[in-house]
Amino acid sequence: MTTADVGAPAPRNPEAAAPRQAPADRPAVVGALISLFVLAIGVTIGLNPEGVVVSRDPGYAPMPVPLLIVPALLAIALTLLLPRGRGDAEVGVRRPRAVRAEAALLVLLACGFPLLVPLLPTDEDYVLAKAVMFLLVPMVLLALSARRRGPSIEIGRPGVRGWVIVLPALVLGVLSTLGPFSSGGPSAWPPLALLLIAATATAITAGVGEELLYRRLLQTRLEALVGSGTGLLLAAILFGLMHVPSHGDGSLWASTAQALALQGTTGIALGLMWRRWRRLWVCILAHLLLNGFGVLLHLVGLLV
C-alpha cells in the first residue's frame, strides 16, 4: 500500500503519475555520518566523565552518557528485529524539482529555528515560533504545492500489526523515564494548571510538530533525494542540532556534540521507526512518552 503526500489530490500530470525510485545510499556517506554520531558520543563522554544534566530544570542530576543513550539503542535494535510487515516502505519520486524545492524549504526551517531561539524573549514565544515553523508553514506550503500539481512523492506503507510496532516506542519512552537509564525528574512541579498548559503545548509542538517536520516531511524527502539511510541520518543530525539552544550548557561545539550524542541518537531511533513502518503515530507516541511520561506519572500520583 502506498500513500501520497500531505493534502495531495490525484495526480494531474504524467510526471506525477509515474513515480521513480529513490536513489541507493552511498556506503561511504552513511559510514561518515554514523562516524559523526560516534565521535559526538565520544567527545561528550570525554568532556563529561561524571555525566551530563539533560534538563535545565532544577532537580536533574548528572547521568553517564552511555546510560542515557541505552533506551535509544535498544529501540533501534528492537525496530530492526521486529517484522517489517507486508509490502515495502520505499519512497517514490513523482516531481523531482518539487522534492528538491520542498526539501530546501524544510531544511531552512529546521536550521532557522535553533538560530531564532536565542532571540526569543519568553517561553511563550518559543512555543509559538515552533508551532508556526514546524506545523503551520510547512503544512500550508506543501498542501498548496500538492493542490496545484499533485503530490511530489509517494510513500510505501507496509501492512503490519499495531501492537508490534508500538514496542520500540514504549521501550524508548518508558526506559528514558524510569529505571537505571532515566534522565531523572524535576525536584518540584509547577502548579497543576500551569503544568497541564505546558504539557499540552509541548505535546503539540514537540510530540506532533517535531515528528511531522523531521520525520514525515523532511526525512522522507531527504530519502527521496539521497537514499533512505542517508536521509534518515541527515534528518537525525538536524533534529539533534535543533536542541542545541535549549539543552546545551557549555561552549557551542561542546553543546553541539552533546545534542548530537543524545537527541541525535534519539532522532535515529525515531527516524528508523518511520523508515521501517511509515506510521507517524508510532513516532509521535514515542516522542510523547519521552517528554510526558514523567508528567503522566506525576498526575496519576496526585489522584491516588
Side-chain angles (χ1 to χ4, degrees):
M1 182 170 62
T2 60
T3 58
D5 202 9
V6 179
R12 298 180 182 178
N13 55 67
E15 182 186 12
R20 71 183 190 189
Q21 189 174 5
D25 288 298
R26 295 184 180 183
V29 175
V30 173
L33 293 175
I34 293 175
S35 298
L36 179 62
F37 284 97
V38 174
L39 177 63
I41 294 171
V43 168
T44 304
I45 293 174
L47 293 176
N48 304 276
E50 297 182 357
V52 299
V53 179
V54 299
S55 175
R56 294 176 179 175
D57 294 333
Y60 286 84
M63 285 287 295
V65 174
L67 288 182
L68 289 174
I69 64 175
V70 165
L73 296 179
L74 290 176
I76 290 171
L78 188 56
T79 301
L80 293 173
L81 290 173
L82 289 172
R84 179 188 296 271
R86 296 181 179 179
D88 64 65
E90 302 303 319
V91 179
V93 181
R94 292 186 172 189
R95 296 165 50 212
R97 290 184 179 179
V99 173
R100 290 191 290 269
E102 291 165 0
L105 168 67
L106 295 168
V107 169
L108 182 63
L109 291 172
C111 293
F113 181 75
L115 297 176
L116 179 64
V117 168
L119 305 178
L120 300 175
T122 67
D123 292 340
E124 291 79 7
D125 294 318
Y126 177 89
V127 171
L128 179 60
K130 183 178 283 189
V132 171
M133 297 180 71
F134 288 11
L135 289 167
L136 181 61
V137 171
M139 291 296 292
V140 169
L141 293 181
L142 293 179
L144 289 175
S145 174
R147 182 174 296 276
R148 289 172 55 193
R149 300 191 60 191
S152 62
I153 58 175
E154 183 179 273
I155 307 170
R157 195 168 183 262
V160 65
R161 296 181 182 274
W163 68 266
V164 173
I165 62 179
V166 79
L167 295 177
L170 294 176
V171 166
L172 180 61
V174 174
L175 289 186
S176 297
T177 307
L178 298 176
F181 312 122
S182 169
S183 57
S187 57
W189 292 92
L192 181 59
L194 181 60
L195 176 63
L196 291 175
I197 293 172
T200 302
T202 300
I204 295 172
T205 59
V208 177
E210 291 177 17
E211 293 311 305
L212 178 67
L213 179 73
Y214 286 95
R215 251 61 69 180
R216 176 62 173 83
L217 302 179
L218 178 56
Q219 178 181 318
T220 309
R221 282 160 178 78
L222 291 176
E223 288 184 38
L225 294 175
V226 295
S228 61
T230 307
L232 188 161
L233 293 170
L234 288 175
I237 289 173
L238 293 172
F239 179 73
L241 294 178
M242 186 266 293
H243 291 84
V244 171
S246 57
H247 289 70
D249 192 23
S251 65
L252 179 59
W253 72 274
S255 297
T256 300
Q258 179 176 321
L260 289 178
L262 300 181
Q263 286 77 28
T265 304
T266 299
I268 295 177
L270 293 167
L272 188 60
M273 294 179 204
W274 168 245
R275 169 65 184 88
R276 193 160 179 84
W277 295 306
R278 303 301 189 195
R279 302 298 201 279
L280 189 64
W281 67 264
V282 176
C283 304
I284 292 175
L285 174 63
H287 207 139
L288 290 175
L289 290 173
L290 275 170
N291 291 340
F293 191 58
V295 176
L296 179 61
L297 292 178
H298 172 68
L299 294 176
V300 171
L302 295 178
L303 298 175
V304 299

